Amino acid sequence: MKRFGVFALSLAALMLAGTAVAGPRRVTDADAPRSLPAEGPVSISWSDPAEFTEIKRSLNRWEAERGNWVYDLANYMRQRSQDRLLPGETLDIHITDIARAGNYEPWRGLWLNDVRMVRDIYPPRLSFTWRKLDADGRVIDEGEQKLVDMAFQMGTQPLNSDPLRYEKRMVDRWVQRDLTDRDRDVSAR
């Protein structure tokens, strides 16, 4: 019996320690990062998430703020876009707004108040500015993007439980469309 008590106490201590190290629990926390750590050719920063459409227009602001989804999406953008750069090129991205696919519908009752309803009337949206620089620091390309996927639920989709799957698909399309150097063959790298 004592052995079980010690095990349970140890497990509880590990769980508490894990949550303390896991990072911010809310994207709007004052100590939550506003950029990815500097590494590699892609730097990504973002505006205050409290001003994002996802939180400002959410029907359950408390649930919309939970997690680390801004950091996760920015990290995904970095991973996908760095493969499209030639040696010496750098890319700066600043995320200005995010509205994730779906929304909360509190009128469905208390038991569904914290469930994100993913329906076609709540498409994912992502706005950001970007600038691609060559090895000498000269601007090669730049732009302001306002991505919206009105058909995010159309077509065949493999079973995917990633809560950012629709937003990541928009990022993939943007990377493929706008970060491909039209003058050089990207596949020749």
Side-chain angles (χ1 to χ4, degrees), residues 10-172:
S10 299
L11 184 60
L14 282 173
M15 289 173 61
L16 286 173
T19 58
V21 176
R25 301 257 320 146
R26 306 176 89 57
V27 296
T28 55
D29 285 347
D31 60 342
R34 298 291 185 255
S35 66
L36 292 179
E39 63 181 52
V42 180
S43 65
I44 301 184
S45 61
W46 51 91
S47 303
D48 182 8
E51 298 300 315
F52 287 171
T53 302
E54 172 64 22
I55 295 171
K56 286 177 75 172
R57 295 203 178 146
S58 177
L59 298 174
N60 186 339
R61 183 182 170 110
W62 190 85
E63 283 295 326
E65 291 176 356
R66 285 185 54 192
N68 210 13
W69 51 268
V70 177
Y71 187 91
D72 294 342
L73 186 59
N75 197 39
Y76 184 80
M77 287 180 82
R78 171 186 272 172
Q79 291 170 359
R80 299 298 293 169
S81 58
Q82 67 188 4
D83 294 339
R84 294 291 183 153
L85 300 176
L86 293 174
E89 291 181 341
T90 58
L91 178 66
D92 297 324
I93 298 174
H94 181 75
I95 301 171
T96 55
D97 193 26
I98 300 173
R100 294 172 56 195
N103 203 343
Y104 300 95
E105 297 179 344
W107 58 86
R108 294 193 178 270
L110 232 46
W111 56 92
L112 292 174
N113 192 35
D114 60 349
V115 175
R116 177 180 289 278
M117 301 294 180
V118 179
R119 302 189 313 139
D120 59 355
I121 62 171
Y122 309 122
R125 300 173 187 272
L126 178 62
S127 299
F128 57 95
T129 58
W130 61 282
R131 192 170 58 159
K132 188 161 101 172
L133 306 160
D134 67 10
D136 297 325
R138 290 184 301 246
V139 176
I140 299 171
D141 203 358
E142 62 184 345
E144 181 177 346
Q145 297 298 137
K146 293 182 185 282
L147 306 177
V148 180
D149 188 357
M150 297 300 287
F152 71 103
Q153 290 185 308
M154 302 293 267
T156 59
Q157 300 172 4
L159 294 176
N160 186 347
S161 62
D162 184 346
L164 296 171
R165 62 188 170 274
Y166 302 115
E167 295 78 10
K168 288 178 178 180
R169 191 168 59 195
M170 281 192 317
V171 169
D172 288 342

Side-chain angles (χ1 to χ4, degrees), residues 1-12:
M1 188 64 145
K2 284 185 180 182
R3 189 177 296 175
F4 177 74
V6 170
F7 174 75
L9 186 60
S10 299
L11 184 60

